[in-house]
């Protein structure tokens, strides 16, 4: 699969307590297979195909709508109020069937 890219984030700011839903638009997002691989059948959870991190902290929830749209819930900011950054790095990565980043992406 090709390297995933981000073209936009909405909204572009949120609460420091987290909980802000964010729509990420981009390309090459890995959607879940249908049916899921045998490693997740019967586990009660659906296949996790994407990792989304805000300044290195994993998003609380990630839902891949399609290959160009992801919905996430921003994690809580764990710093002090005085150190709230004006911007954070957002990184997306496709995951393989074992929920590991796909090499070369």
């Amino acid at each position: 699969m090709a390297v995933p890219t981000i073209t936009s984030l909405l909204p572009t700011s949120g609460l420091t307590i987290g909980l802000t839903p964010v729509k990420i638009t981009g390309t090459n997002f890995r959607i879940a297979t249908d049916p899921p691989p045998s490693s997740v059948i019967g586990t009660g959870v659906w296949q996790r195909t994407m990792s989304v991190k805000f300044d290195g902290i994993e998003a609380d929830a990630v839902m891949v709508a399609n290959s160009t749209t992801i919905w996430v819930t921003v994690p809580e900011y764990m710093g002090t109020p005085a150190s709230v950054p004006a911007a954070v790095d957002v990184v997306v990565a496709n995951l393989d069937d074992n929920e590991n980043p796909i090499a070369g992406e």
Side-chain angles (χ1 to χ4, degrees):
M1 182 156 211
V3 175
T5 62
I6 297 172
T7 56
S8 70
L9 295 142
L10 290 172
T12 58
S13 64
L15 304 171
T16 57
I17 62 168
L19 306 176
T20 303
V22 174
K23 179 182 179 183
I24 301 175
T25 305
T27 62
N28 303 316
F29 300 151
R30 184 171 181 246
I31 56 175
T33 57
D34 186 25
S38 60
S39 61
V40 294
I41 292 176
T43 63
V45 297
W46 189 247
Q47 179 185 7
R48 190 168 159 243
T49 61
M50 296 289 304
S51 166
V52 179
K53 294 182 179 183
F54 292 80
D55 266 356
I57 307 297
E58 191 73 37
D60 290 333
V62 177
M63 197 231 21
V64 181
N66 54 50
S67 65
T68 61
T69 305
I70 304 172
W71 288 93
V72 302
T73 303
V74 176
E76 181 179 1
Y77 173 69
M78 301 307 286
T80 65
S83 66
V84 174
V88 297
D89 288 327
V90 180
V91 177
V92 296
N94 286 318
L95 302 177
D96 65 18
D97 288 345
N98 295 314
E99 297 187 9
N100 297 309
I102 295 175
E105 291 189 7

